[in-house]
């Protein structure tokens, strides 16, 4: 049974129709990578799944919690369901979004303590476990200003993991990094994939998608155009738009 299921999802920003009847599913322990041109709706899709953006119409289900959006105003029950979805989804953004006035460890425990009501000592123990996982235990008491971009993103991943989510959403997690720092973040993500973490990843890193993804989804102009195993997607895509996108990438690189 899919742990993420999106059905007939639409999103309008005023007259702009950004997502057009998007349907997508992710199985437990599966890594699904979403690729496509900038502006194709990839990031909006992720933000709709945990309701950072409210969909205009459609159905979203995460870990058995289903919300059908058919009107602008959400009911009290829907708002509670959104809260439950956010508790079981971890989100990693393009920009790291760390609190600059908090140390690394304080950044990690802020949500478990304030949102989950977790005892501080317990939150610290979990946070230290995930800091160690991303290789940054020695930065425990540093502030974000003293970290490199790659370190900040690894802290952001550890922060999301500290909430012990059922699924991880990654929105182009390496796009704000200098080229020499991308590898350290991708290596953490590869390790999570090896450990069976369920991941939905919007990425421009085709080598990562090829190596790690169970399935690759290509989006164009707000629609899912094609989805397949990475071997199929990168060696023999079926749709002309997918071929054009990948050919252009190969020429650029």
């Amino acid at each position: 049974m899919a742990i993420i299921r999106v059905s007939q999802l639409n999103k309008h920003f005023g007259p702009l129709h950004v997502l057009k009847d998007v349907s997508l599913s992710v199985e437990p322990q599966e890594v699904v990578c979403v690729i496509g041109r900038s502006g194709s709706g990839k990031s909006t899709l992720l933000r709709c799944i945990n309701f950072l953006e409210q969909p205009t119409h459609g159905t979203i289900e995460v870990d058995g919690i289903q919300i059908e959006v058919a009107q602008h105003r959400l009911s009290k029950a829907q708002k509670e369901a959104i809260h439950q979805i956010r508790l079981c989804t971890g989100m990693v953004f393009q920009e790291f979004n760390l609190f600059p006035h908090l140390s690394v460890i304080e950044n990690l425990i802020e949500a478990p303590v304030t949102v989950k009501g977790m005892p501080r000592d317990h939150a610290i123990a979990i946070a230290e476990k995930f800091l160690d996982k991303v290789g940054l235990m020695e930065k425990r008491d540093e502030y974000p200003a003293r970290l490199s971009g790659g370190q900040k993103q690894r802290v952001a991943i550890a922060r999301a993991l500290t909430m012990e989510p059922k699924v991880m959403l990654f929105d182009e997690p390496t796009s704000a990094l200098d080229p020499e720092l991308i590898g350290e973040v991708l290596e953490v993500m590869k390790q999570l994939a090896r450990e069976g973490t369920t991941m939905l990843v919007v990425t421009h890193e085709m080598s990562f998608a090829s190596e790690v993804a169970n399935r690759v989804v290509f989006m164009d102009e707000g629609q899912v155009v094609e989805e397949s195993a990475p071997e199929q997607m990168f060696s023999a895509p079926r749709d002309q738009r997918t071929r054009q996108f990948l050919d252009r990438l190969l020429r650029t690189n």
Side-chain angles (χ1 to χ4, degrees), residues 83-84 86-88 109-118 163:
H83 177 67
Q84 294 303 316
R86 287 174 176 165
L87 286 177
C88 65
I109 70 170
E110 177 72 12
V113 170
T114 61
V115 177
K116 280 188 166 182
M118 188 181 293
M163 286 292 283

Side-chain angles (χ1 to χ4, degrees), residues 7-37:
S7 180
Q8 300 296 300
L9 188 68
N10 286 267
K11 174 62 180 176
H12 293 263
F13 289 104
L16 192 62
H17 197 176
V18 179
L19 296 178
K20 304 169 184 175
D21 292 326
V22 172
S23 295
L24 177 77
S25 66
V26 182
E27 302 293 323
Q29 299 188 320
E30 189 177 31
V31 178
V32 175
C33 285
V34 184
I35 64 173
R37 299 175 182 84

